[in-house]
Amino acid sequence: MLKIVVGSPRLRSFAVVSEPPCCTGGDAWRVVEDRDGVEVYWSGRKLFSMRIATWERGVEIAHTLEGDEHVYGLGEKYAHLDRRFKRFHFWNVDQTVHLPSGDPMYKSIPFYIVAKPGKVYGVFVDYPGYLYIDTGVEHLDRIVIRVGAGYAVLYVFSGENLYEILDAYTRLTGRPFMPPKWAVGYHQSRYSYASQDEVLRVAEEFRRRRIPCDAIWLDIDYMDGYRLFTWSRDRFPDPRGMIEKLHSMNMRVVTIVDVGIKEEKGYHAYDRGVELNAFLRTPDGELFRGGVWPGLCVFPDFLRSSGRRYWAQRLAEFMGVGVDGIWLDMNEPAIFYMEKPFRSMVAEVSKRLIENDVEGAGNHYFWRARHLIGTTSVGKGIGMVDIPAVHLDDDGGEVRHSEIHNAYPLLENEATKMGFEIARPGRRWFILTRSAYAGIQRLAAVWTGDNQSDWGHMAISIPMLLNLGLSGVPFAGADVGGFGDDVDPEMLVRWTQLGAFYPFFRNHSSKGTRRQEPWVFGEPWSSYVAEAIRLRYRLLPYIYSMFIEAHRSGKPVIRPLFAEFPQDEQSYVVEDEFLVGPSLLVAPVLTPGARARAVYLPQVRWLDLWSGEVLEPGWRLVEAPIDRVPLFLREDGAVVTTEPRSSATEPWGTVTIDVFVGRKACAVLYDDDGETADFEKGRFFEAKVCIERRGGDAVIRVEELHMGYEPGFSKVRIRLLGSPWVERVLLEGEELRVYRSGKAVVAELGIGRLTASQQG
């Protein structure tokens, strides 16, 4: 990793958690300076030439791009997989327009990867204020970075492959957190489930229909007048009892928590915050106020450790009734209007109306309203609000909010994690956040915000989530079925089939829209939706093992094709299919009425998991009936499955390793208690099972990687798919009893040392 510092940074980094000694260069790095800038080399190969200049608001940095290089990452952007030839603004906003023109968005992660066959590197621009990145619009052959300050800190990463880049980036900014097992299951949400009776009815319907579900989510209507850390006495009179009932059904509860604290004397969260001086202030020392759901609100100052402790304590007390997860929303922060400008606008409009200047009143209203809600022009055409507030650091120094705007939700997430540590010491936390900055992966999962029930929104979720994974954030999802507008039966089926492979799998919809629970359209649609959810639970052993891999190395859970096939040039631009882990290719249906689709299969042979047909690489037209999503197993790849349970936390019983062996395929079996942090102390089970082809023999080798936990399964079944060559199956020289199931050859092993079982 190479660190480049321009100017003199004023503030500490909020993203960086561990800067290795090699960050100023190292044997592999060489920087050659000339009159116009620098040339950067890694392992003797030139990566790019860089020039540094100024623009009207700060520093401009430009570096060269080769004509065949692709650009990925940059966090959550409504754009194609390849980010090249686009302009992006980084300033967190409550973005209601999910269109190519809807930029910036909720999250700002200024980390990108440049890749082509034989070359890959990454660049992280660590500045939490306003940033602009142009990936080839103004100049076809370069990336232009404009920083809204007189300084900049860049980190450059290179390696032999994409995964080395992500490993280095997540060592710098923090490894992805390991979620509790229940968080990897299916979640049901609505804005809003309006009473505890309704919540319990929904949960009971899932269990009655035997549709797996791990969590019910509560939006803002559970609160008393939208006041944070409260419950409505009328609609939710017994939250503890409700949660205990849900826990008895093996379901968890996640509650939304916004960031604005209602300004109201006698309200405990406000009074305590004022007492501790925990809120943002204006430059003249008054409390900064803005209008949100409860009315005029004040906002915690998360820059100060005392402000973070205030938030953590309030949250921990709130969680005392049994809340399992926290959903941080409106934390850009989203503000409907700011008090002083709003009052000024109202006064001026009133004055002009009194003077009978109706046109002037209207013009003034629209001009001021634009500034109040977020279309102030900064740079070249960006919608953003410059919030006139100041933070205090722990030394009492003032910091303008605009300098750290994008890091505000990151600091809030740090404080929220502290709340979990107070309320649930030793247990894993679960936080979902709408807004974020680089490094968020160490604290929270993310979702892509207020999308719509639209086929285009469903399709664009794939490159959005893939690029979040390439930005170091593996635990990400989009609202299945769409948040706004009305879903139709086919869209709900197809989106659930896609969502079953999102790392974060939640169905969520807005007030005034059609309900989206799995059963709302009746048969046959309900069965199709339920089966898509069950497919997620079948794949839980495989998906859960991808989460521990992400936690250890930063590898994404879902991956673009080129991540595994970097020499395949076609794979760099395919964005309507993806890999789960290294072995499973998913090709969802993204258009209404389609019952077949074109699929690109990169480089190796693939096995169609529905038909059992072995397919050569290249473009194929495959069947895609309404009741299934096309799935393909990579040659020399493996996936681990189980029979679906009602909850992700239930023991798996028997796990099945499906393998497609050309020469040698391996699967990792991983399990832990799914709830505590004890896996970090060695309380986990991990074994590697490899199957090698030797003539007509399938030879099994078992490597015990770690045996610190008794796993939640007692038997391992190995299914050899697409393998007509198999005559015998051997384990440590002993021939196993096998049986045939369809086209598969099946052997079973006991769990102990994974020795052969006597069942066949």
Side-chain angles (χ1 to χ4, degrees):
M1 182 177 66
L2 175 70
K3 183 178 182 180
I4 300 172
V5 180
V6 179
S8 300
R10 273 183 20 88
L11 302 170
R12 68 177 176 89
S13 173
F14 302 105
V16 172
V17 295
S18 179
E19 194 169 279
C22 66
C23 65
T24 55
D27 294 340
W29 292 95
R30 186 164 63 95
V31 178
V32 178
E33 297 188 28
D34 60 27
R35 185 175 57 187
D36 298 320
V38 298
E39 293 181 337
V40 176
Y41 294 80
W42 181 79
S43 292
R45 178 173 185 173
K46 181 179 175 181
L47 297 181
F48 53 78
S49 297
M50 177 179 289
R51 302 291 180 262
I52 300 170
T54 60
W55 68 297
E56 61 188 63
R57 295 192 60 205
V59 175
E60 179 180 283
I61 301 163
H63 71 77
T64 53
L65 274 177
E66 296 176 19
D68 56 349
E69 289 179 332
H70 307 271
V71 180
Y72 305 98
L74 295 174
E76 174 194 69
K77 295 294 181 184
Y78 196 103
H80 291 289
L81 179 66
D82 186 352
R83 306 300 209 192
R84 194 160 180 184
F85 307 118
K86 294 286 288 183
R87 289 182 283 207
F88 299 108
H89 302 278
F90 294 81
W91 182 267
N92 296 345
V93 298
D94 180 0
Q95 181 57 267
T96 58
V97 181
H98 286 217
L99 297 168
S101 57
D103 185 70
M105 293 193 73
Y106 310 97
K107 303 167 191 67
S108 296
I109 304 178
F111 168 66
Y112 57 89
I113 292 169
V114 177
K116 70 173 186 176
K119 181 182 179 182
V120 61
Y121 65 90
V123 176
F124 170 42
V125 189
D126 189 9
Y127 178 67
Y130 170 68
L131 274 171
Y132 165 88
I133 298 180
D134 177 331
T135 61
V137 177
E138 295 181 31
H139 305 279
L140 293 177
D141 62 346
R142 71 194 69 173
I143 287 180
V144 177
I145 304 163
R146 294 189 180 124
V147 182
Y151 60 88
V153 179
L154 274 69
Y155 296 88
V156 184
F157 312 86
S158 195
E160 297 298 333
N161 57 56
L162 172 71
Y163 298 137
E164 291 186 7
I165 307 297
L166 291 170
D167 177 74
Y169 172 73
T170 56
R171 274 189 285 116
L172 180 75
T173 60
R175 294 297 197 201
F177 80 106
M178 184 64 182
K181 195 175 284 185
W182 64 264
V184 184
Y186 174 78
H187 303 242
Q188 185 65 50
S189 185
R190 173 81 174 169
Y191 171 34
S192 287
Y193 292 127
S195 71
Q196 66 183 46
D197 290 341
E198 184 181 11
V199 169
L200 292 173
R201 283 197 302 271
V202 170
E204 288 164 354
E205 191 68 12
F206 272 99
R207 292 298 180 249
R208 187 183 73 81
R209 291 173 177 268
R210 298 184 179 179
I211 301 173
C213 182
D214 269 276
I216 302 291
W217 290 54
L218 305 183
D219 212 310
I220 58 176
D221 289 320
Y222 77 85
M223 301 179 200
D224 177 15
Y226 305 134
R227 297 171 183 85
L228 301 191
F229 314 124
T230 67
W231 294 86
S232 167
R233 293 183 181 89
D234 297 328
R235 297 186 302 277
F236 291 83
D238 183 17
R240 185 184 299 274
M242 177 192 69
I243 293 172
E244 288 175 354
K245 176 66 174 176
L246 289 167
H247 285 174
S248 73
M249 291 187 275
N250 208 7
M251 279 196 187
R252 271 62 177 184
V253 175
V254 183
T255 56
I256 199 168
V257 175
D258 291 343
V259 74
I261 304 286
K262 182 176 177 61
E263 183 183 31
E264 180 180 74
K265 290 182 179 179
Y267 165 40
H268 64 89
Y270 174 76
D271 290 344
R272 184 59 173 160
V274 170
E275 179 184 336
L276 296 174
N277 191 25
F279 299 132
L280 289 175
R281 294 189 174 269
T282 63
D284 57 11
E286 296 181 14
L287 287 176
F288 170 76
R289 299 172 176 89
V292 202
W293 294 113
L296 274 181
C297 290
V298 293
F299 299 84
D301 183 355
F302 295 113
L303 181 62
R304 274 179 288 166
S305 56
S306 60
R308 296 194 296 276
R309 285 195 300 270
Y310 153 79
W311 180 266
Q313 191 61 53
R314 302 283 76 69
L315 191 76
E317 292 172 1
F318 170 72
M319 292 179 65
V321 297
V323 170
D324 300 285
I326 295 295
W327 170 17
L328 298 177
D329 196 26
M330 304 290 286
N331 56 341
E332 292 74 27
I335 299 173
F336 299 156
Y337 59 89
M338 286 174 280
E339 182 197 25
K340 284 191 173 181
F342 181 75
R343 292 186 187 278
S344 173
M345 178 189 73
V346 171
E348 180 63 23
V349 169
S350 299
K351 174 177 175 292
R352 296 194 184 203
L353 288 174
I354 290 171
E355 295 171 351
N356 204 29
D357 182 8
V358 177
E359 182 178 358
N363 289 339
H364 182 81
Y365 169 79
F366 286 112
W367 182 82
R368 290 296 297 167
R370 291 179 63 209
H371 287 68
L372 285 169
I373 64 175
T375 54
T376 304
S377 178
V378 176
K380 289 190 176 180
I382 168 180
M384 62 171 261
V385 175
D386 187 5
I387 296 172
V390 294
H391 300 256
L392 292 179
D393 62 25
D394 283 345
D395 296 325
E398 290 191 354
V399 178
R400 288 179 294 114
H401 178 80
S402 59
E403 294 183 83
I404 65 167
H405 174 76
N406 293 336
Y408 185 77
L410 182 72
L411 295 168
E412 181 201 22
N413 275 270
E414 288 183 359
T416 303
K417 181 196 169 193
M418 288 170 56
F420 273 87
E421 291 169 342
I422 296 169
R424 309 278 173 80
R427 303 187 77 79
R428 299 183 211 176
W429 69 92
F430 176 71
I431 305 167
L432 181 78
T433 183
R434 186 170 79 175
S435 189
Y437 181 59
I440 193 62
Q441 70 275 356
R442 64 182 186 255
L443 299 166
V446 304
W447 94 106
T448 58
D450 295 345
N451 63 359
Q452 303 292 308
S453 296
D454 178 82
W455 290 91
H457 281 222
M458 177 167 61
I460 203 70
S461 72
I462 298 174
M464 289 179 79
L465 297 178
L466 290 174
N467 273 305
L468 277 164
L470 296 179
S471 305
V473 187
F475 201 2
D479 283 342
V480 169
F483 174 72
D485 209 347
D486 299 313
V487 74
D488 63 67
E490 184 179 9
M491 184 188 300
L492 183 59
V493 170
R494 291 305 197 187
W495 209 325
T496 309
Q497 290 171 347
L498 168 59
F501 299 95
Y502 289 165
F504 173 60
F505 184 22
R506 180 184 73 161
N507 178 310
H508 182 49
S509 56
S510 181
K511 279 184 177 179
T513 67
R514 188 191 299 275
R515 298 288 289 251
Q516 292 181 179
E517 291 82 12
W519 50 83
V520 295
F521 290 110
E523 294 297 342
W525 311 103
S526 298
S527 292
Y528 299 153
V529 173
E531 190 53 38
I533 295 171
R534 292 187 187 104
L535 178 59
R536 167 61 163 237
Y537 283 74
R538 286 189 176 90
L539 287 162
L540 274 177
Y542 181 68
I543 292 173
Y544 194 59
S545 71
M546 293 303 107
F547 274 93
I548 193 66
E549 186 174 41
H551 174 68
R552 291 169 174 172
S553 68
K555 282 186 179 180
V557 174
I558 61 172
R559 307 167 185 180
L561 304 188
F562 79 88
E564 289 289 327
F565 300 96
Q567 298 308 313
D568 186 329
E569 293 187 10
Q570 179 67 45
S571 71
Y572 282 77
V573 294
V574 174
E575 64 178 19
D576 61 351
E577 54 190 80
F578 56 92
L579 294 161
V580 180
S583 298
L584 182 63
L585 191 149
V586 184
V589 174
L590 303 171
T591 54
R595 298 297 181 263
R597 62 154 290 174
V599 174
Y600 182 71
L601 302 172
Q603 279 196 323
V604 300
R605 295 193 306 163
W606 296 81
L607 183 114
D608 185 323
L609 282 173
W610 298 111
S611 69
E613 182 182 1
V614 174
L615 302 172
E616 297 297 321
W619 285 101
R620 294 288 180 271
L621 182 67
V622 301
E623 293 184 358
I626 187 64
D627 62 343
R628 67 185 189 224
V629 57
L631 299 174
F632 306 88
L633 179 61
R634 174 183 186 169
E635 185 174 26
D636 288 330
V639 294
V640 185
T641 66
T642 188
E643 287 302 307
R645 307 297 200 270
S646 64
S647 166
T649 61
E650 294 183 35
W652 292 331
T654 297
V655 296
T656 299
I657 303 174
D658 284 336
V659 294
F660 175 26
V661 180
R663 291 179 297 177
K664 181 179 180 181
C666 295
V668 173
L669 302 176
Y670 176 86
D671 198 18
D672 57 32
D673 66 23
E675 285 286 342
T676 74
D678 287 353
F679 72 97
E680 295 179 334
K681 303 173 185 177
R683 291 202 68 241
F684 64 90
F685 170 91
E686 192 168 20
K688 187 176 184 179
V689 180
C690 294
I691 302 94
E692 186 175 0
R693 177 178 180 176
R694 295 182 185 173
D697 292 343
V699 179
I700 301 173
R701 293 278 183 256
V702 178
E703 183 180 356
E704 298 177 352
L705 301 177
H706 192 82
M707 299 292 152
Y709 175 78
E710 184 176 343
F713 52 91
S714 57
K715 188 183 297 182
V716 179
R717 180 181 295 118
I718 297 175
R719 296 203 314 157
L720 294 136
L721 306 176
S723 304
W725 52 268
V726 175
E727 297 173 0
R728 298 188 304 168
V729 178
L730 304 176
L731 172 65
E732 297 179 351
E734 178 185 350
E735 183 175 353
L736 301 182
R737 294 175 61 189
V738 300
Y739 61 92
R740 294 189 178 271
S741 176
K743 297 180 181 180
V745 176
V746 184
E748 294 183 349
L749 313 177
I751 187 60
R753 290 175 55 84
L754 295 180
T755 55
S757 78
Q758 298 305 305
Q759 300 183 31

